[in-house]
Amino acid sequence: MPPLMRTVGLLSAILFSSTALANCECGYTVNGTLYTDLTETDFLHIKNINESGWQPQKYTVSRETARGPYGKDASPNQIVTNPLKSRYDWAGNGIHGGDAGLQITVSNPGKGSMIPMGEMGTNRTDMLYGSFRAAIKLTGQKGTCGAFFWVGCIPGPHSHASCHMEFLSSQFNQTSHPVNLVLQSQASVDAGFNAAGDTNAFQTHQLPFNPSEDFNEYRFDWFSDRVDFYANGVFLKSMTGEGVPQDPGHLMLSQWSNGDPNWSGGPPTKDAVITVSYVKGYFNSSETKRQEDWEKRCKDIKAPNATCEVPEITAPPRNNATAKTYFFSQEKNMTVNQTVSGGNPNTIASGAWSIQASMQSIITPMLLFSLVFFMDWCS
């Protein structure tokens, strides 16, 4: 065969093979529902919060606006990364002592009128329907509200709609371990952010464990007509109504107190710390660019491994055996053209496009150039 023909044949083979981008190129499924995008953050192995895909919040709220005896003072200083000492471990004490993971602290204000608190949100604000889960150990100190929630980012008729899993540490005792499930709506905002009078917007569910004693996974699946809530993979409640969000937004983690005896209580007498070991989200994007990216990479949705099922936990994530949960972003070739974040102990990842897609765009042209040069030189 002439050298040029051999070269063309090899180039065609390489180019053809590169069209099979990766596993999961069409997305990730949860109970049969397909989501095109993902966000995964492994806080057990993150040292720099700026590499996590999350942004600590800084703001103050007066006690009048906070509707309590105290105001709220959200500061990045109340959020600390405390990764494990070894990247091969998945449970144990962090480098600063105590539980490993992301620590969010509420402090006693002393003689002040503002309670120091911590809150952070994902950098991505294009999340539109999805399945979101976080592994959290709540505080045992009385007087705070710990929350894992989603909130909209677009002004409009549904701008106040949000999904919450909230934990009031003053409610925890030997016989009671509730989680408060909340769908905020314009109606609850008009009632002073009080959704308690609407069973479609507020429900309390007793958990079979004390949330302050160890890590547990809390999850909500958001659809256009309802929100399903879970704890450790067990279904809790399904909620519908006006509070179901219809616009894109982002995930939030928070712990706060305003001294309100009817909700957060407090303030705590000493530092109250909640610890987060991971957050995972599988969702659809509202951004046109992300939708176009999906259409380009998803060549055949019925092809083998074109979609990947999200594994569910089989036990609470509490020790080296069960805390090592599955991350697509820590596996090879499963997050091409996805926006993933740091904390990956096995592979390199960043807040930009997946390194696999970047390397493919760099290596393929280099390989083609080298092959052409070599074939021509050898002929």
Side-chain angles (χ1 to χ4, degrees), residues 26-72:
C26 291
Y28 312 87
T29 61
V30 179
N31 294 334
T33 300
L34 176 66
Y35 300 109
T36 61
D37 286 53
L38 87 167
T39 178
E40 294 181 331
T41 311
D42 172 14
F43 287 116
L44 291 177
H45 299 97
I46 283 181
K47 292 183 179 180
N48 186 349
I49 194 67
N50 295 323
E51 298 176 355
S52 69
W54 292 74
Q55 180 63 50
Q57 306 295 297
K58 182 176 177 60
Y59 62 85
T60 58
V61 180
S62 69
R63 59 186 178 186
E64 291 79 15
T65 304
R67 304 175 303 280
Y70 293 84
K72 299 191 291 187

Coordinates of all heavy atoms in Angstrom, one line a residue, residues 26-72:
C26 N -24.0 10.9 27.4 CA -25.4 11.4 27.3 C -26.0 11.8 28.7 O -27.1 12.3 28.7 CB -26.2 10.4 26.6 SG -25.8 10.2 24.8
G27 N -25.3 11.5 29.8 CA -25.7 11.9 31.1 C -25.9 10.8 32.1 O -25.3 9.7 31.9
Y28 N -26.6 11.2 33.2 CA -26.6 10.3 34.4 C -28.1 10.1 34.8 O -28.9 11.1 34.7 CB -25.8 11.0 35.5 CG -24.5 11.5 35.0 CD1 -24.3 12.8 34.5 CD2 -23.4 10.7 35.1 CE1 -23.1 13.2 34.0 CE2 -22.1 11.1 34.7 CZ -22.0 12.3 34.1 OH -20.8 12.7 33.6
T29 N -28.4 8.9 35.1 CA -29.8 8.6 35.4 C -30.1 8.3 36.9 O -29.2 7.7 37.6 CB -30.3 7.4 34.6 OG1 -29.6 6.2 34.9 CG2 -30.2 7.7 33.1
V30 N -31.2 8.8 37.4 CA -31.6 8.6 38.8 C -33.1 8.1 38.7 O -34.0 8.8 38.3 CB -31.5 9.8 39.6 CG1 -32.1 9.5 41.1 CG2 -30.1 10.4 39.7
N31 N -33.3 6.8 39.1 CA -34.6 6.2 39.0 C -35.3 6.4 37.6 O -36.5 6.7 37.5 CB -35.6 6.8 40.1 CG -35.1 6.5 41.5 OD1 -34.5 5.5 41.7 ND2 -35.5 7.4 42.4
G32 N -34.4 6.3 36.6 CA -34.9 6.3 35.2 C -35.0 7.7 34.6 O -35.2 7.9 33.4
T33 N -34.8 8.8 35.4 CA -34.8 10.1 34.9 C -33.4 10.5 34.5 O -32.4 10.3 35.2 CB -35.3 11.1 36.0 OG1 -36.6 10.8 36.3 CG2 -35.3 12.5 35.4
L34 N -33.2 11.1 33.3 CA -31.9 11.4 32.7 C -31.6 12.9 33.0 O -32.4 13.8 32.8 CB -31.9 11.2 31.2 CG -30.6 11.6 30.5 CD1 -29.4 10.8 30.9 CD2 -30.8 11.6 29.0
Y35 N -30.4 13.1 33.5 CA -29.8 14.4 33.8 C -28.5 14.6 33.0 O -27.7 13.7 32.9 CB -29.6 14.7 35.2 CG -30.9 14.5 36.1 CD1 -31.0 13.4 36.9 CD2 -31.9 15.5 36.0 CE1 -32.2 13.3 37.7 CE2 -33.0 15.3 36.7 CZ -33.2 14.3 37.6 OH -34.3 14.1 38.3
T36 N -28.4 15.8 32.4 CA -27.3 16.0 31.4 C -26.0 16.4 32.1 O -24.9 16.2 31.6 CB -27.6 17.0 30.4 OG1 -27.9 18.3 31.1 CG2 -28.9 16.6 29.6
D37 N -26.1 17.0 33.3 CA -24.9 17.6 33.9 C -24.8 17.1 35.4 O -25.7 16.5 35.9 CB -25.1 19.2 34.0 CG -24.9 19.8 32.7 OD1 -25.5 19.4 31.7 OD2 -24.1 20.7 32.6
L38 N -23.6 17.4 35.9 CA -23.3 16.9 37.3 C -22.4 17.9 38.0 O -21.7 18.7 37.4 CB -22.7 15.5 37.4 CG -21.2 15.4 37.3 CD1 -20.8 14.0 37.7 CD2 -20.6 15.7 35.9
T39 N -22.5 17.9 39.3 CA -21.5 18.6 40.2 C -21.3 17.7 41.3 O -22.2 17.1 41.9 CB -22.1 20.0 40.7 OG1 -21.1 20.5 41.6 CG2 -23.4 19.8 41.5
E40 N -20.0 17.4 41.6 CA -19.6 16.5 42.7 C -18.4 17.2 43.5 O -17.4 17.6 42.8 CB -19.1 15.2 42.1 CG -20.2 14.4 41.4 CD -19.8 13.0 40.9 OE1 -18.6 12.9 40.6 OE2 -20.6 12.1 40.9
T41 N -18.6 17.3 44.8 CA -17.5 17.9 45.6 C -17.2 17.0 46.7 O -18.1 16.6 47.6 CB -18.0 19.2 46.1 OG1 -18.5 20.0 45.1 CG2 -16.8 20.0 46.8
D42 N -16.0 16.5 46.8 CA -15.5 15.6 47.8 C -14.8 16.4 48.9 O -13.6 16.7 48.8 CB -14.5 14.6 47.2 CG -13.8 13.7 48.2 OD1 -14.2 13.7 49.4 OD2 -12.8 13.1 47.8
F43 N -15.5 16.9 49.9 CA -14.9 17.8 50.9 C -14.0 17.0 51.9 O -13.2 17.7 52.6 CB -16.0 18.4 51.7 CG -16.8 19.5 51.0 CD1 -18.1 19.4 50.7 CD2 -16.1 20.7 50.6 CE1 -18.8 20.4 50.0 CE2 -16.8 21.7 49.9 CZ -18.1 21.5 49.6
L44 N -13.9 15.7 51.8 CA -13.0 15.0 52.6 C -11.5 15.1 52.2 O -10.6 14.9 52.9 CB -13.3 13.5 52.6 CG -14.6 13.1 53.3 CD1 -14.9 11.6 53.2 CD2 -14.6 13.4 54.8
H45 N -11.3 15.6 50.9 CA -10.0 15.7 50.4 C -9.7 17.1 49.8 O -8.7 17.2 49.1 CB -9.8 14.6 49.3 CG -9.9 13.2 49.8 ND1 -11.1 12.5 49.7 CD2 -9.1 12.4 50.5 CE1 -11.0 11.3 50.3 NE2 -9.8 11.3 50.8
I46 N -10.5 18.1 50.2 CA -10.2 19.5 49.7 C -9.5 20.3 50.7 O -10.0 20.4 51.9 CB -11.6 20.1 49.3 CG1 -12.1 19.6 47.9 CG2 -11.4 21.6 49.2 CD1 -13.4 20.2 47.5
K47 N -8.5 21.0 50.3 CA -7.8 21.9 51.2 C -8.1 23.3 50.9 O -8.1 24.2 51.8 CB -6.2 21.7 51.1 CG -5.7 20.4 51.6 CD -4.2 20.3 51.5 CE -3.7 18.9 52.1 NZ -2.2 18.8 52.0
N48 N -8.3 23.7 49.6 CA -8.6 25.0 49.2 C -10.0 25.2 48.8 O -10.5 24.6 47.8 CB -7.7 25.4 48.1 CG -7.8 26.9 47.7 OD1 -8.7 27.6 48.1 ND2 -6.8 27.3 46.9
I49 N -10.8 26.0 49.5 CA -12.2 26.1 49.2 C -12.4 26.7 47.8 O -13.5 26.5 47.2 CB -12.9 27.0 50.3 CG1 -14.4 26.9 50.2 CG2 -12.5 28.4 50.2 CD1 -15.0 25.6 50.6
N50 N -11.4 27.5 47.3 CA -11.6 28.1 46.0 C -11.5 27.1 44.9 O -11.9 27.4 43.7 CB -10.5 29.1 45.8 CG -10.6 30.3 46.8 OD1 -11.7 30.8 47.1 ND2 -9.5 30.8 47.2
E51 N -11.1 25.9 45.2 CA -11.1 24.8 44.2 C -12.3 23.9 44.3 O -12.3 22.8 43.6 CB -9.8 24.0 44.3 CG -8.5 24.8 44.1 CD -7.3 24.0 44.3 OE1 -7.4 22.9 44.8 OE2 -6.2 24.6 44.1
S52 N -13.3 24.2 45.1 CA -14.4 23.3 45.4 C -15.6 23.5 44.5 O -16.5 22.7 44.5 CB -14.8 23.5 46.8 OG -15.4 24.8 47.0
G53 N -15.6 24.6 43.7 CA -16.9 24.9 43.0 C -17.9 25.6 43.8 O -19.1 25.8 43.4
W54 N -17.6 26.0 45.1 CA -18.5 26.7 46.0 C -17.9 28.1 46.3 O -16.7 28.3 46.4 CB -18.7 25.9 47.2 CG -19.4 24.6 47.0 CD1 -19.0 23.4 46.5 CD2 -20.8 24.3 47.4 NE1 -19.9 22.5 46.4 CE2 -21.1 23.0 47.0 CE3 -21.8 25.1 48.0 CZ2 -22.3 22.4 47.2 CZ3 -23.0 24.5 48.3 CH2 -23.3 23.1 47.9
Q55 N -18.8 29.0 46.7 CA -18.5 30.3 47.1 C -19.0 30.7 48.4 O -20.2 30.8 48.6 CB -19.0 31.3 46.0 CG -18.6 32.8 46.3 CD -17.1 33.0 46.3 OE1 -16.5 32.6 45.4 NE2 -16.6 33.6 47.3
P56 N -18.1 30.9 49.5 CA -18.6 31.3 50.8 C -19.3 32.7 50.6 O -18.8 33.6 49.9 CB -17.3 31.4 51.6 CG -16.4 30.5 50.9 CD -16.7 30.6 49.5
Q57 N -20.3 32.9 51.4 CA -21.1 34.1 51.3 C -20.7 35.1 52.4 O -20.2 34.7 53.5 CB -22.6 33.9 51.5 CG -23.1 32.8 50.5 CD -23.1 33.3 49.1 OE1 -23.7 34.3 48.7 NE2 -22.3 32.6 48.3
K58 N -20.8 36.4 52.1 CA -20.4 37.4 53.1 C -21.6 38.5 53.1 O -21.8 39.2 52.1 CB -19.1 38.1 52.8 CG -18.7 39.2 53.8 CD -17.3 39.7 53.5 CE -16.9 40.8 54.5 NZ -16.9 40.4 55.9
Y59 N -22.3 38.6 54.2 CA -23.4 39.6 54.3 C -23.8 39.7 55.7 O -23.4 38.9 56.6 CB -24.6 39.1 53.4 CG -25.3 37.8 53.8 CD1 -26.2 37.8 54.8 CD2 -24.9 36.6 53.2 CE1 -26.8 36.6 55.2 CE2 -25.5 35.5 53.6 CZ -26.5 35.5 54.6 OH -27.1 34.3 55.0
T60 N -24.6 40.7 56.0 CA -25.2 40.9 57.3 C -26.7 41.2 57.2 O -27.1 41.7 56.2 CB -24.5 42.1 58.1 OG1 -24.7 43.3 57.3 CG2 -23.0 41.8 58.3
V61 N -27.4 40.7 58.2 CA -28.9 40.9 58.2 C -29.2 41.5 59.6 O -28.9 40.9 60.6 CB -29.6 39.6 57.9 CG1 -31.1 39.9 58.0 CG2 -29.2 39.0 56.6
S62 N -29.9 42.6 59.6 CA -30.2 43.2 60.9 C -31.2 42.3 61.6 O -31.9 41.5 61.0 CB -30.9 44.6 60.7 OG -32.1 44.5 60.1
R63 N -31.3 42.5 62.9 CA -32.3 41.6 63.7 C -33.7 41.9 63.3 O -34.5 41.0 63.4 CB -32.0 41.8 65.2 CG -32.3 43.2 65.7 CD -31.9 43.3 67.1 NE -32.0 44.7 67.7 CZ -31.6 45.0 68.9 NH1 -31.1 44.1 69.7 NH2 -31.7 46.3 69.3
E64 N -34.0 43.1 62.8 CA -35.4 43.4 62.4 C -35.7 42.6 61.1 O -36.7 42.0 61.0 CB -35.5 44.9 62.1 CG -35.5 45.8 63.3 CD -34.1 46.0 63.8 OE1 -33.1 45.8 63.1 OE2 -33.9 46.5 65.0
T65 N -34.7 42.6 60.2 CA -34.9 41.9 58.9 C -34.8 40.4 59.2 O -35.5 39.6 58.5 CB -33.9 42.3 57.9 OG1 -34.0 43.7 57.7 CG2 -34.2 41.6 56.5
A66 N -34.0 40.0 60.1 CA -33.8 38.5 60.4 C -35.0 38.0 61.2 O -35.1 36.8 61.4 CB -32.5 38.3 61.2
R67 N -35.8 38.9 61.7 CA -37.0 38.5 62.5 C -36.7 37.7 63.7 O -37.3 36.7 64.0 CB -38.0 37.7 61.6 CG -38.4 38.4 60.3 CD -39.3 37.5 59.4 NE -38.6 36.3 59.0 CZ -37.7 36.2 58.1 NH1 -37.3 37.3 57.4 NH2 -37.1 35.1 57.8
G68 N -35.7 38.2 64.5 CA -35.3 37.6 65.7 C -34.6 38.6 66.7 O -34.4 39.7 66.3
P69 N -34.3 38.1 67.9 CA -33.6 39.0 68.8 C -32.2 39.4 68.4 O -31.7 40.4 68.8 CB -33.5 38.1 70.1 CG -34.5 37.1 69.9 CD -34.6 36.8 68.4
Y70 N -31.6 38.6 67.4 CA -30.3 38.9 66.9 C -30.3 39.0 65.4 O -31.2 38.5 64.7 CB -29.3 37.8 67.3 CG -29.0 37.7 68.8 CD1 -29.9 37.0 69.6 CD2 -27.9 38.3 69.4 CE1 -29.6 36.8 71.0 CE2 -27.6 38.1 70.7 CZ -28.5 37.4 71.5 OH -28.2 37.3 72.8
G71 N -29.3 39.7 64.9 CA -29.1 39.8 63.5 C -28.1 38.6 63.1 O -27.6 37.9 63.9
K72 N -27.9 38.5 61.8 CA -27.0 37.4 61.3 C -25.8 38.0 60.6 O -25.9 39.0 59.8 CB -27.8 36.5 60.3 CG -29.0 35.8 61.0 CD -29.6 34.7 60.1 CE -30.2 35.3 58.9 NZ -30.9 34.2 58.1

